[in-house]
Amino acid sequence: MPDRLQQQLEAFERALEGVRDEDSLYALQVAYIGRKGSISLLRRDMGKMSPDQRKQFGVEFNRVKRAIEAGIETRRQFLSDDARRRELERFEDLTMPPRRPEFGSLHPLTRTRRALASTFRRMGFDVEDGPHVEHGRYNFDFLNFLPDHPARDEQDTFFVEPRGDTSSRELVLRTHTSPIQVRTMLARTPPVRIIALGTVFRRDEDRTHSPMFHQIEGLYVDRGVTMADLKATLLQFTGSFFGPGLDVRLRPSFFPFVEPGAEFDMQCPFCRGARCVVCKQTGWIELGGSGMVHPNVLRDCGIDPAVYTGWAFGFGLDRMTMLLHDVPKLRYLFEGDIRFLEQFPC
Ligand code: FA5
């Protein structure tokens, strides 16, 4: 009888090796030590045994049963560990440092644009924009450009061929943000206090000029507005954008849509006037053009120049961005080269 127990144990051990999952393991357990399992059934013959045989059988039965239980437990543990290991293998090496997701960041020009917009919003200006493809009338005529002004020349302006009846319409890619002044004055009555930020286009290309670039335009029209308001606003702007204490200067200049007209410079924010490489040892940074809105422009836009006066200014966002971030070439801003853009993390 003990031999049969041993045979059952050996058969069990062989079967156990082939068990690959919990269900088969449970089936094997039932087949051997379940109530009607092959080992349990051997116990039925105990009644026919002598007391000595029974005792010997009992000892042997318990040993075999415990061996089977231990075998099942070990296999169960193995299957569970194996399942866990395979699950982990589906992932990458968990001991490796985590790979961080790559975050994009705002383009330096976008940052400049947003910073300028929020500075001027705080100063009480509305933000406006207009179409990139603009009527020649708004880009030039309403702004007091004479029909033979050189800026209208093919060499400076991108002309767009209108669809349909072409005789009455001259379309251009706007060459500056000043037509937004016109659109705003035609649509609103003073007081008008806006800035316009946008993309503009000119046939122009070298280290500091690009055929596509960006400008910001300021316009303030109301009763009694003077050049002193212009200078005060420019001073307030440079103070809130670059920090207080930077002087601003106006130099006489000509733009058809302002009279008087002026270029405006601000004291270099890097050396604060002490002269450095950024300001080319002058102590000043040239920002853009400005002046009192020409009476002809006000009149053409339906605003009485005897009652209202206004000022306007405009400067390049791209140059401002180059200045702020020490970018040596304008084209770097437009090439989309990731090595350049990565230098401006969030
Ligand atoms: C104008 O465009 C006027 N509309 C500005 C103005 C507005 C004057 C309101 C008076 C009243 P200007 O052509 O100088 O002005 O251009 C203004 C700025 O745009 C320049 O100072 C320069 O910073 C920038 N700019 C001009 N051309 C380019 C270019 N091709 N690439 C990059 N920036 C340019």
Side-chain angles (χ1 to χ4, degrees), residues 268-287:
C268 175
F270 298 97
C271 63
R272 306 192 87 75
R275 296 160 195 260
C276 67
V277 283
V278 180
C279 59
K280 302 197 190 85
Q281 308 299 336
T282 63
W284 295 92
I285 303 275
E286 292 179 15
L287 275 188

Side-chain angles (χ1 to χ4, degrees), residues 109-153:
L109 267 175
T110 306
R111 292 188 206 189
T112 310
R113 197 187 67 223
R114 290 191 182 178
L116 286 171
S118 82
T119 302
F120 278 104
R121 270 204 193 96
R122 280 200 302 275
M123 289 163 62
F125 286 77
D126 295 335
V127 179
E128 294 285 343
D129 198 0
H132 291 180
V133 178
E134 185 56 280
H135 293 283
R137 296 202 300 291
Y138 291 168
N139 197 80
F140 298 122
D141 300 319
F142 271 91
L143 290 166
N144 206 30
F145 281 79
L146 295 173
D148 57 353
H149 192 282
R152 304 182 82 134
D153 205 303

Side-chain angles (χ1 to χ4, degrees), residues 176 178 181 202 204 208-210 213 215 217 255 257-258 287-291 312-316 319 330:
H176 50 173
S178 301
Q181 289 185 31
R202 289 182 197 176
D204 215 355
T208 52
H209 291 82
S210 154
F213 60 103
Q215 285 189 342
E217 185 98 3
F255 300 92
F257 38 95
V258 285
L287 275 188
S290 65
F313 68 81
F315 62 88
R319 301 248 174 100
L330 182 59

